[in-house]
Amino acid sequence: MKKIGMVFSGYRSEFVGMGKDLYDHYRTVQERFEEASHCLDINFVKLCFASSDIEITKVYNAYLSLFLVQTCIVDVLRESGITPSIVAGIDVGEYSAVYAASGLTFVDALYFINKYSQAYEALITDDKYAQILVTRYPRDLVEELCAKVTKGDDFVTISVYEPTDRYILSGTLEAIDAVKKILKAKKALVKNLKLGSGLHSFVMDDIVKSIKMYLAKIDITSMHIPFVSGAIGQTLTEGEVVLASLMQHIHAPSHLDAVISAFEDCDVILQIGPGDWLLPLFQSVFPQKTLYTIQYLADVENCIKELSA
């Protein structure tokens, strides 16, 4: 039997219309949308299918909608007997991953993401922080540069370690601007990012304190399917350890390079949910593996056909 890895995308993957063809085709997806709408008093049909780019990319809306669409795809694949051997996720995708491993219920995850995304959106609306993507520059020099520029509360840090010398840097506006000037002078590639994915730094400490009580109320059970923690890049199965890693990851950097390496034994890797930026990172590390992006009805049907065979 093929070993299937599932990885779940995070913020910057959302778009208006995501999940629409699945909603039109599967009653189970319609029921899941109804459940989410009832739980949070949000019209997810309108939000996901008929809102605007501005609305869907708001952190609160994006996090909840991504989780909803991703879990709908998991449910459809499950009904066809397709289950993962290992799971991982980016940002909010981690909760979808734990759900896919049957460690977390849909309602519990929705409840927590609702609280977390509210707190996080409030933090970043102050226009104090920024994020950039840096490529073609050695890791040790990026870390050295971040340490040099950081002074007290004015900081910049690597928030995501990606493979092949790619890094997402987060920090205050002034520190980010200083780093950008230095990196561009050294011919590194720098791209501005829309602020929304986790800052993964000490500025998230207050958020951890404020939402800790909510995460403590949800039950994460031990799982037979390993979950790769973005905070430490290791596989976890014990419920309490997974819970601790989710909390840690809020203010600790993402080690996406280590997460990708954990999929080495997989025959097939599925990116579940919207977006097209994550799977190429896996492809760069595993050029010989079979990889699929599963976000549309045709993707789901092709996946079921190929993997069931």
Side-chain angles (χ1 to χ4, degrees):
M1 181 177 292
K2 291 181 178 179
K3 187 173 182 180
I4 300 171
M6 287 186 181
V7 59
F8 296 81
S9 54
Y11 187 76
R12 302 189 190 97
S13 302
E14 66 285 338
F15 63 90
V16 177
M18 60 181 180
K20 178 66 166 61
D21 53 357
L22 296 167
Y23 179 90
D24 291 340
H25 190 77
Y26 291 104
R27 179 57 191 160
T28 53
V29 175
Q30 296 167 13
E31 291 172 350
R32 188 62 87 191
F33 267 73
E34 291 168 7
E35 182 180 17
S37 297
H38 177 74
C39 286
L40 299 180
D41 195 25
I42 295 173
N43 186 337
F44 278 101
V45 169
K46 181 179 179 181
L47 176 60
C48 291
F49 308 151
S51 62
S52 65
D53 291 340
I54 293 175
E55 283 301 307
I56 201 67
T57 55
K58 290 180 180 178
V59 167
Y60 179 72
N61 293 336
Y63 277 32
L64 290 169
S65 299
L66 283 169
F67 174 74
L68 173 58
V69 172
Q70 288 169 346
T71 52
C72 284
I73 295 173
V74 169
D75 291 342
V76 171
L77 294 178
R78 235 181 227 162
E79 290 178 350
S80 297
I82 297 174
T83 57
S85 302
I86 187 172
V87 297
I90 309 302
D91 290 321
V92 67
E94 285 205 314
Y95 301 95
S96 302
V98 177
Y99 170 82
S102 300
L104 185 60
T105 68
F106 176 80
V107 172
D108 276 352
L110 195 70
Y111 166 79
F112 176 73
I113 294 168
N114 177 53
K115 299 296 184 181
Y116 170 56
S117 58
Q118 285 182 28
Y120 184 53
E121 188 169 67
L123 174 70
I124 63 175
T125 51
D126 292 339
D127 293 328
K128 292 169 56 178
Y129 308 106
Q131 290 180 321
I132 57 174
L133 173 66
V134 178
T135 57
R136 296 185 185 176
Y137 205 66
R139 170 174 174 167
D140 57 339
L141 295 182
V142 174
E143 292 174 333
E144 181 182 314
L145 179 57
C146 289
K148 180 180 179 180
V149 171
T150 296
K151 296 177 182 178
D153 291 336
D154 196 27
F155 80 98
V156 58
T157 185
I158 298 177
S159 55
V160 182
Y161 291 86
E162 296 184 2
T164 61
D165 286 337
R166 288 169 54 100
Y167 315 94
I168 293 179
L169 273 56
S170 300
T172 54
L173 290 173
E174 187 174 336
I176 287 287
D177 284 342
V179 165
K180 283 169 59 177
K181 290 178 182 178
I182 296 172
L183 288 172
K184 287 182 177 180
K186 294 180 179 295
K187 306 303 181 183
L189 296 182
V190 180
K191 177 183 178 182
N192 293 325
L193 297 178
K194 180 177 174 59
L195 192 62
S197 60
L199 291 174
H200 300 297
S201 65
F202 69 89
V203 297
M204 301 291 286
D205 289 351
D206 287 341
I207 286 184
V208 173
K209 293 175 184 176
S210 69
I211 64 174
K212 191 173 183 179
M213 70 178 89
Y214 300 114
L215 196 55
K217 291 180 181 179
I218 69 175
D219 180 32
I220 296 183
T221 60
S222 294
M223 307 171 297
H224 296 296
I225 299 169
F227 161 73
V228 189
S229 165
I232 59 177
Q234 297 178 9
T235 54
L236 308 173
T237 56
E238 295 183 16
E240 291 185 0
V241 179
V242 171
L243 183 64
S245 78
L246 291 173
M247 286 298 294
Q248 178 186 358
H249 198 193
I250 293 173
H251 57 170
S254 285
H255 292 276
L256 182 53
D257 50 355
V259 169
I260 292 175
S261 296
F263 284 68
E264 183 176 6
D265 292 336
C266 293
D267 301 300
V268 178
I269 299 173
L270 309 179
Q271 180 198 302
I272 306 295
D276 57 6
W277 63 271
L278 183 56
L279 212 57
L281 296 180
F282 278 79
Q283 187 76 65
S284 69
V285 179
F286 304 122
Q288 303 304 319
K289 290 189 183 297
T290 301
L291 301 100
Y292 297 101
T293 298
I294 313 298
Q295 59 177 316
Y296 297 111
L297 175 62
D299 300 328
V300 171
E301 292 178 335
N302 181 60
C303 178
I304 293 171
K305 179 181 178 181
E306 293 292 327
L307 297 185
S308 296

